[in-house]
């Protein structure tokens, strides 16, 4: 489970960047990536809706995760389990009794609620005493901490009573454990092997915040990797390396990433070892993904509560055992936020300021914009034909609105890596200019080579451009 996410000492490094969370929130709203949910009713706290570019970006993050952990490996298969699960699941997993945070309420003027452990951490980070913690807003006395279960409850069927109580899943992982037997029957795979799943999870967080970093409804990308007990430590290390590298390969600056090992008292009830991939967000180093060694905890618990045997027999040695599990568990929304924060840049080009999202081309919501210089003289026809060819293979946009400079700025802000301009010369010799978002280089190439060139560039390795 998640560790705390504030580290004041690191915030100073983040401050060297031009990016702030306010700038990201403003860009997301301005360009329609992400909006406050139910805005016309004044908004619902800490819930967000993704607009066109936000959906494209988050889908690309999920697609790249699936590519890396399933498509490019032989040992991981997919699953899509239901959000609603048998209530016994949560007894077995320990969530009913143990998935809680310490809640305190201000007894003074403001009556706000806080996570007690976060208040203590903030004081410790500021070098302040923690023996008498008071409300950070109004200075009032706080109630005694009480454990608050984070699972959302609802009822199944027409009768609302204890017997009909079910829960919105707080993690996708349990859907994988309860399907272990089903998947093993059909996957035609031997251990070690993993099951990967992307889906929504829900937590009634006491203090959500930092935009889409911590919300009550979010998407997870989780792998449960099953292996022999003796292999678990080595597989844990392999997954830590692989998952850290994934963020780097998709353009996050390595010095903005770190792996942090959980201390003994920080470990979740199921974990014998956990390390977090942390990113240097504007508010400091914070968890992006947890990679836990869950041992045989989950399969043992579900076997006990369900009465089903959840074991594996090694076909070579005929040895029977309860597999151990390594769990790389990432947040799709949190990943999306980190990719945006890391890609955000501001610079001055020929005396004009531009905001640019230097996203990896594979993550960019739109790969190419086709821009006819004038909306006349046969240019729109040529441009439209190229656009229709391009959109058959990648997300493309056709943009005729405003000056060419304005159109480039719009595409820069949504992170479009390439722009194709159709001009008078195109009408004479069927060549176009291809503009690179990061270098601003413009090259003239034949119009019939554009699609092939961009397909080639999308498949090629990509290096993070130097941010200004
Ligand atoms: N199955 C293990 C598990 O759920 P976790 O550390 O609680 O572990 C894994 O969650 C990841 O899910 C986190 O690293 C984070 O990226 C994401 N996540 C957790 N709670 C979240 C929240 N309230 N809002 C957004 N993302 C969250």
């Amino acid at each position: 489970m998640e560790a705390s996410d504030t580290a004041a000492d690191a915030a100073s490094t983040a401050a060297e960047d031009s990016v702030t969370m306010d700038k990201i929130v403003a860009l997301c709203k301005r360009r329609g990536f992400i909006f406050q949910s139910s805005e016309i009713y004044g908004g619902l706290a800490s819930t967000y809706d993704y607009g066109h570019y936000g959906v494209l970006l988050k889908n690309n993050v999920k697609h790249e995760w699936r590519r890396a952990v399933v498509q490019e490996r032989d040992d991981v298969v997919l699953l899509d389990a239901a959000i609603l699960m048998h209530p016994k699941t949560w007894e077995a997993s320990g969530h009913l009794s143990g998935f809680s945070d310490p809640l305190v309420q201000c007894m003074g003027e403001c009556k706000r609620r806080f996570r007690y452990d976060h208040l203590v951490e903030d004081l410790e980070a500021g070098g302040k005493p923690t023996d008498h913690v008071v409300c950070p807003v109004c200075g009032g006395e706080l109630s005694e901490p009480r454990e608050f279960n984070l699972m959302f409850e609802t009822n199944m069927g027409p009768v609302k009573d204890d017997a009909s109580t079910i829960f919105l899943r707080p993690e996708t992982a349990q859907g994988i454990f309860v399907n272990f037997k089903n998947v093993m029957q059909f996957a035609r795979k031997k251990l070690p092997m993993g099951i990967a799943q992307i889906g929504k999870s829900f937590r009634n967080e006491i203090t959500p915040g930092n935009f889409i970093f911590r919300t009550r409804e979010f998407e997870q990308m989780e792998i449960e990797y099953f292996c022999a007990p003796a292999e678990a430590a080595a597989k844990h290390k392999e997954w830590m390396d692989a998952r850290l590298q994934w963020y780097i390969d998709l353009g996050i600056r390595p010095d903005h990433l770190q792996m942090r090992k959980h201390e003994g008292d920080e470990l979740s009830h199921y974990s014998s070892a956990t390390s977090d991939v942390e990113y240097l967000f504007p508010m400091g180093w914070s968890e992006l993904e947890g990679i836990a060694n869950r041992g045989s905890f989950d399969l043992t618990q579900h076997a006990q509560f369900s009465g089903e045997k959840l074991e594996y027999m090694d076909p070579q040695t005929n040895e029977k055992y309860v597999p151990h599990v390594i769990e790389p568990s990432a947040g799709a929304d949190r990943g999306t936020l980190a990719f945006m924060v890391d890609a955000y840049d501001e610079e001055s080009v020929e005396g004009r300021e531009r905001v640019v999202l230097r996203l990896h081309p594979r993550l960019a919501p739109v790969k190419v914009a086709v821009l006819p210089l004038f909306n006349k003289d046969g240019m729109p026809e040529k441009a439209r034909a190229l656009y229709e060819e391009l959109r058959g293979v990648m997300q493309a946009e056709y943009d005729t609105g405003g000056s060419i400079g304005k159109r480039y700025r719009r595409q820069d802000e949504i992170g479009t890596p390439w722009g194709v301009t159709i001009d008078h010369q195109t009408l004479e010799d069927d060549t176009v200019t291809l503009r690179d978002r990061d270098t601003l280089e413009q090259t003239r190439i034949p119009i019939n080579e554009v699609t092939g060139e961009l397909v080639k560039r999308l498949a090629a390795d990509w290096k993070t451009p130097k941010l200004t």
Side-chain angles (χ1 to χ4, degrees), residues 1-3 99 170-173 203 205 212-220 222 224 270 276 287-290 294 327 329-335:
M1 288 169 208
E2 230 195 315
F99 191 57
E171 60 174 14
T172 65
R203 294 182 191 177
E205 300 278 3
I212 54 168
F213 178 83
R214 178 174 287 110
T215 51
R216 295 191 170 107
E217 174 180 345
F218 54 96
E219 242 177 320
Q220 288 186 307
E222 298 202 289
E224 306 304 327
Y270 52 71
D276 289 341
E287 177 185 337
L288 255 187
E289 167 162 356
R294 297 181 76 124
E327 178 194 63
S329 172
D333 309 270
R334 210 174 269 190

Side-chain angles (χ1 to χ4, degrees), residues 368 370 385-394 396 420 450-451 454:
V368 56
V370 179
L386 175 63
Y387 165 63
E388 278 166 22
E389 181 186 315
L390 280 164
R391 74 177 178 185
V393 278
M394 65 188 71
V420 180
V450 172
T451 306
L454 295 190

Side-chain angles (χ1 to χ4, degrees), residues 236-255:
H236 192 199
K237 171 82 177 71
E238 274 176 37
W239 275 109
M240 287 196 294
D241 293 345
R243 292 304 305 145
L244 185 65
Q245 192 58 43
W246 182 77
Y247 293 99
I248 295 169
D249 290 346
L250 286 172
I252 295 203
R253 287 163 284 176
D255 61 345

Side-chain angles (χ1 to χ4, degrees), residues 184-419:
M184 284 311 287
Q185 233 166 6
F186 298 107
R188 294 169 49 239
K189 297 229 184 272
K190 290 191 225 139
L191 294 197
M193 67 88 76
I195 305 176
Q197 168 163 233
I198 298 177
K200 286 256 170 144
S201 293
F202 302 83
R203 294 182 191 177
N204 199 1
E205 300 278 3
I206 298 169
T207 46
N210 282 317
F211 194 32
I212 54 168
F213 178 83
R214 178 174 287 110
T215 51
R216 295 191 170 107
E217 174 180 345
F218 54 96
E219 242 177 320
Q220 288 186 307
M221 310 186 288
E222 298 202 289
I223 305 156
E224 306 304 327
Y225 193 79
F226 301 91
C227 61
E231 288 178 303
K235 293 293 170 198
H236 192 199
K237 171 82 177 71
E238 274 176 37
W239 275 109
M240 287 196 294
D241 293 345
R243 292 304 305 145
L244 185 65
Q245 192 58 43
W246 182 77
Y247 293 99
I248 295 169
D249 290 346
L250 286 172
I252 295 203
R253 287 163 284 176
D255 61 345
H256 284 209
L257 287 166
Q258 69 180 18
M259 192 64 87
R260 189 184 65 82
K261 195 169 184 283
H262 282 208
E263 300 298 333
D265 59 351
E266 208 187 318
L267 289 172
S268 310
H269 59 281
Y270 52 71
S271 169
S272 60
T274 297
S275 287
D276 289 341
V277 178
E278 293 189 332
Y279 175 70
L280 188 53
F281 283 98
M283 68 281 189
W285 287 105
S286 310
E287 177 185 337
L288 255 187
E289 167 162 356
I291 302 153
N293 181 346
R294 297 181 76 124
S296 61
F297 175 82
D298 303 274
L299 291 184
T300 306
Q301 287 291 104
H302 286 300
Q304 194 187 324
F305 277 73
S306 68
E308 286 278 345
K309 274 208 165 78
L310 299 175
E311 291 174 337
Y312 177 74
M313 186 161 81
D314 188 306
Q316 252 113 48
T317 62
N318 283 345
E319 185 202 351
K320 254 191 193 168
Y321 58 85
V322 179
H324 280 212
V325 174
I326 304 303
E327 178 194 63
S329 172
D333 309 270
R334 210 174 269 190
T336 300
L337 180 62
F339 285 118
M340 286 187 93
V341 166
D342 211 71
Y344 183 94
D345 199 13
E346 291 170 356
E347 68 176 359
S348 185
V349 180
E350 288 161 10
R352 291 171 76 177
E353 297 303 311
R354 76 163 181 161
V355 168
V356 52
L357 274 191
R358 301 185 190 277
L359 289 166
H360 189 296
R362 292 220 291 254
L363 294 181
V366 176
K367 312 301 180 199
V368 56
V370 179
L371 314 164
L373 210 52
F374 299 106
N375 216 4
K376 54 180 190 187
D377 301 338
M379 278 186 225
E381 290 74 15
K382 286 252 176 203
R384 190 86 210 165
L386 175 63
Y387 165 63
E388 278 166 22
E389 181 186 315
L390 280 164
R391 74 177 178 185
V393 278
M394 65 188 71
Q395 192 71 37
E397 211 161 81
Y398 182 69
D399 191 354
T400 55
S403 72
I404 191 73
K406 217 167 156 191
R407 283 181 269 168
Y408 281 146
R409 297 292 169 272
R410 189 156 56 221
Q411 295 299 334
D412 289 343
E413 284 207 355
I414 62 165
T416 306
W418 302 295

